[in-house]
Amino acid sequence: MSMNDLKDEIDNEVSEILSSDFTVNVTETRTVPKANDPAITFPNLRTGQLSCKLIETCVLYIDIRKSTELNLKHRRATVAKLYSAFGRAMTKCARHFGGHVRGIIGDRLMVVFDSENCFRNALDTAVLMNSVCKYVLNKKFPHNDIKCGIGIDYGRMLITKVGIIRRSVETSNYQGLVWLGRPANLASKLTDLANKSGESFELKHVSTGFQVPGQGNWRWTDQTLEDFVNCLDTLPFSNDISHRDPNFRSFIKTSTTIETRKSTPPILMTKEVWKGFSHECPSRDCVTKRWYRKNDVQLPEYSGEVFGGDVIFTVFRG
């Protein structure tokens, strides 16, 4: 096929799919669909229809912190083993509480839950994953530098099938399910922010003491180290240093730690998830003892509160 023919073919297909005559059929569901679900179809250009499913539930993402640094720091074989162990362990964690893995890209997993008891299952899965990361993967990996971030959101997601149909062994590589809606997007971004170390810098400054003329009182002023040094002069033909202000008497060098970013816990969730979980499991210790608290996490596309915590199953700590 020539380049011109390919251009025309793609242009025509895109125009047909985006046409107002093209129909999207949506079926609501409470269970997580599979890739071969017959109710989810590719765009049919002959009939002008596309079939999708809609689910309202929790979605969870997890990935390894600083995976780029790990790739540079360790041998390829070591990183390959880590990714294999991580993917296998996190899949088992998801399945233990009824979660369905619907995406694995390197060190990132996407888990979706059936609507029934989705809050409890999602948060229990997060706690299990956090426990395994901290007390299994991290302890078995050199230098104990394995940390994972987990993000959870709840809401409505439209599931559609994308790609093309190929009659070959590569069929699965050319198609997949796409989860459209806020939950998948927000949970992924919360994952990026979870389990981040705080950042700060040390600001050095000088408290400078001056004696008020004609009085015994002292006046103290805070200056940056640079401003203080700029007020000093060397005397001609001498090694002595003087201050430009004749009332200068003393100084104290100090420093202040300025926090530019607060650390975040390994598990972050939207208010909708925490509210749903608290309603499903009001007597749980994590609810009554407030193990999850509001976090100062800002997302441009979300104006609600974010809750987070570092909760584990204690059996893993032994």
Side-chain angles (χ1 to χ4, degrees):
M1 180 183 295
S2 70
M3 190 65 69
N4 283 332
D5 290 339
L6 177 61
K7 169 184 171 296
D8 292 339
E9 181 177 301
I10 294 174
D11 186 87
N12 290 333
E13 289 181 354
V14 169
S15 297
E16 287 186 48
I17 295 173
L18 296 181
S19 168
S20 58
D21 296 330
F22 198 90
T23 304
V24 178
N25 303 310
V26 179
T27 303
E28 294 196 18
T29 181
R30 291 182 57 81
T31 58
V32 179
K34 299 178 182 178
N36 60 355
D37 191 319
I40 304 176
T41 66
F42 289 108
N44 190 319
L45 301 181
R46 181 176 58 83
T47 62
Q49 294 189 1
L50 168 68
S51 296
C52 308
K53 277 194 169 183
L54 181 70
I55 189 170
E56 187 168 3
T57 189
C58 288
V59 58
L60 176 154
Y61 278 88
I62 179 170
D63 73 2
I64 300 174
R65 291 281 76 90
K66 298 183 178 180
S67 56
T68 302
E69 293 183 22
L70 291 173
N71 275 279
L72 297 175
K73 183 178 180 180
H74 299 284
R75 293 182 303 164
R76 286 181 298 229
T78 302
V79 177
K81 290 180 180 180
L82 168 63
Y83 279 30
S84 296
F86 172 78
R88 189 178 184 89
M90 294 305 104
T91 299
K92 284 183 174 291
C93 291
R95 292 178 61 185
H96 186 77
F97 288 110
H100 304 270
V101 176
R102 287 296 180 263
I104 302 177
I105 303 177
D107 65 330
R108 176 168 292 219
L109 269 75
M110 174 189 183
V111 184
V112 188
F113 299 85
D114 295 335
S115 298
E116 186 176 1
N117 300 320
C118 66
F119 299 108
R120 179 177 64 195
N121 291 333
L123 205 50
D124 283 346
T125 298
V127 173
L128 181 56
M129 288 177 165
N130 187 39
S131 305
V132 171
C133 287
K134 290 169 72 78
Y135 296 106
V136 178
L137 288 173
N138 189 46
K139 285 191 174 182
K140 292 184 181 296
F141 201 74
H143 313 298
N144 300 108
D145 50 4
I146 302 302
K147 294 171 59 178
C148 295
I150 302 168
I152 316 171
D153 190 24
Y154 169 83
R156 293 161 69 86
M157 291 181 290
L158 188 69
I159 308 110
T160 185
K161 187 175 288 186
V162 297
I164 59 175
I165 299 175
R166 286 180 62 90
R167 306 298 182 186
S168 70
V169 294
E170 290 191 329
T171 296
S172 60
N173 297 319
Y174 283 84
Q175 55 191 246
L177 297 181
V178 174
W179 303 76
L180 305 174
R182 191 199 78 171
N185 181 57
L186 204 54
S188 178
K189 292 189 176 180
L190 285 174
T191 303
D192 293 334
L193 297 173
N195 215 357
K196 292 281 191 178
S197 300
E199 292 183 354
S200 62
F201 68 93
E202 189 177 47
L203 178 64
K204 296 182 178 180
H205 55 94
V206 176
S207 293
T208 312
F210 302 89
Q211 192 169 30
V212 181
Q215 302 178 25
N217 298 332
W218 282 56
R219 172 175 57 85
W220 289 89
T221 302
D222 281 339
Q223 293 179 291
T224 65
L225 189 59
E226 182 180 2
D227 287 342
F228 174 72
V229 171
N230 289 336
C231 291
L232 302 179
D233 287 323
T234 55
L235 298 176
F237 311 108
S238 171
N239 292 326
D240 295 337
I241 297 176
S242 67
H243 196 282
R244 293 176 184 172
D245 190 326
N247 299 312
F248 167 77
R249 293 294 180 268
S250 182
F251 74 93
I252 302 172
K253 188 174 71 172
T254 60
S255 63
T256 303
T257 300
I258 307 297
E259 186 179 55
T260 56
R261 187 181 71 188
K262 293 183 178 180
S263 61
T264 55
I267 303 171
L268 291 177
M269 73 195 86
T270 57
K271 182 180 180 179
E272 291 81 357
V273 175
W274 178 237
K275 184 178 178 180
F277 178 84
S278 301
H279 178 74
E280 283 187 3
C281 310
S283 61
R284 287 278 193 95
D285 283 348
C286 60
V287 176
T288 59
K289 298 180 180 179
R290 299 181 63 199
W291 289 350
Y292 295 97
R293 297 176 179 272
K294 285 191 289 186
N295 270 253
D296 188 21
V297 172
Q298 302 295 324
L299 291 171
E301 49 282 269
Y302 180 67
S303 59
E305 297 169 337
V306 173
F307 289 77
D310 186 359
V311 182
I312 62 159
F313 290 119
T314 54
V315 64
F316 282 88
R317 194 163 51 192

